[in-house]
Amino acid sequence: MSRPANPVTVPLADYSPQHFLLAVVDNVATVTLNRPERKNPLTFESYRELTDFFRACAFDDAVKAIIVTGAGGNFSSGGDVFEIIGPLVKMDTKGLTAFTRMTGDLVKAMRACPQPIVAAVEGICAGAGAIIAMASDMRLAASGAKVAFLFNKVGLGGCDMGACAILPRIIGQSRASELLYTGRFMTAEEGERWGFFSRIVTPEQVLPQAQLLAKQVAEGPTFGNTMTKRMLAMEWAMSIEEAIEAEAVAQALCMTTADFERAFEAFANKVKPVFRGD
């Protein structure tokens, strides 16, 4: 469980991950979980590198949106049974707590990184894989995709990596409770109806549609998008009055950006604004 210094370097376009694939094109970083022969399970090492990656995103202004997907027709089957669950049964309480905090750090890093994250979900999306999709800002599903928070199936609580805090906010308390108590799979159709997925597309279109959405986000005002993500997270714990005041301050800050002035000039000239991120 020892952890090396953060190995992720910026610019991210030049970084070569060891435990997933990374491509940066047109200000969009695409993370591909890449163990297709096992439905892209996570390991101790991939947890750490993904966490370091999302933390490093805050230091790369060239990346304005992120896509997370999986190789080979599946998103992720979750923690590797043999490489993670096997060693866990031999650990003491201190080691187990260090592990569960490390996995939670991945969700913290995803929520803290300033760029909006789009999950392109195909096939199996289970356990920690379902958590990664949940922790993303937007989710698209391929027809046939299935999502399960499997923790109780391995004798654990559904309270893992923020599931009891985040999932009810997305799909509602009763539906989240059902999934977390039973560990059953949620179909793509249920996920869309319940608000977990924005929409369902064909398997061939899920990544292109995610790329189109991420490109649309990346072309928007960078500071404004970052502020939106911050406010969406912070306002969970605010009263309506506090939220309105916080948004007043946030929006005033957005009005100090050059992108705000560019938008006005474009509107006055009846052209589409080109945002530059400053």
Side-chain angles (χ1 to χ4, degrees), residues 15-97:
Y15 175 64
S16 297
Q18 296 181 27
H19 303 288
F20 55 88
L21 301 179
L22 176 64
V24 180
V25 179
D26 294 333
N27 303 117
V28 176
T30 299
V31 171
T32 304
L33 305 176
N34 189 40
R35 299 179 69 196
E37 71 285 354
R38 302 276 296 278
K39 298 180 181 177
N40 308 316
L42 299 174
T43 65
F44 293 119
E45 292 75 22
S46 60
Y47 269 118
R48 292 189 183 104
E49 190 170 29
L50 284 165
T51 300
D52 290 342
F53 166 79
F54 284 109
R55 285 175 175 161
C57 287
F59 302 100
D60 193 341
D61 292 338
V63 172
K64 301 184 183 299
I66 302 164
I67 296 171
V68 182
T69 191
N74 291 290
F75 190 77
S76 173
S77 57
D80 190 290
V81 172
F82 298 104
E83 295 184 46
I84 287 187
I85 297 178
L88 289 180
V89 299
K90 301 176 183 178
M91 288 185 188
D92 60 13
T93 301
K94 181 179 179 181
L96 291 170
T97 305

Side-chain angles (χ1 to χ4, degrees), residues 259-271:
D259 274 344
F260 177 61
E261 186 174 349
R262 289 187 188 100
F264 168 73
E265 292 173 352
F267 179 81
N269 291 302
K270 300 181 179 181
V271 298

Side-chain angles (χ1 to χ4, degrees), residues 90-233:
K90 301 176 183 178
M91 288 185 188
D92 60 13
T93 301
K94 181 179 179 181
L96 291 170
T97 305
F99 168 74
T100 53
R101 284 176 175 158
M102 179 192 75
T103 61
D105 281 344
L106 172 55
V107 174
K108 291 179 184 178
M110 292 178 69
R111 301 312 309 143
C113 91
Q115 297 89 344
I117 303 169
V118 180
V121 179
E122 184 180 1
I124 296 299
C125 176
I131 295 289
I132 290 175
M134 177 195 76
S136 300
D137 298 286
M138 294 160 278
R139 290 159 293 277
L140 305 183
S143 54
K146 298 191 297 183
V147 180
F149 298 83
L150 292 172
F151 308 110
N152 79 326
K153 295 291 190 183
V154 294
L156 300 175
C159 48
D160 200 47
M161 300 172 70
C164 287
I166 300 174
L167 189 60
R169 288 177 165 93
I170 300 173
I171 66 173
Q173 186 80 9
S174 180
R175 289 163 174 167
S177 297
E178 179 185 339
L179 295 182
L180 296 175
Y181 279 123
T182 67
R184 76 165 178 85
F185 277 97
M186 172 178 61
T187 66
E189 290 74 19
E190 284 179 314
E192 182 188 37
R193 191 167 67 246
W194 292 357
F196 189 81
F197 292 118
S198 299
R199 58 184 177 271
I200 303 171
V201 297
T202 65
E204 295 78 19
Q205 280 296 307
V206 67
L207 185 56
Q209 287 295 312
Q211 291 168 335
L212 189 64
L213 178 56
K215 184 174 184 290
Q216 184 179 3
V217 171
E219 290 176 348
T222 305
F223 186 80
N225 287 342
T226 295
M227 197 61 75
T228 299
K229 180 166 180 172
R230 290 281 183 265
M231 290 295 103
L232 282 168

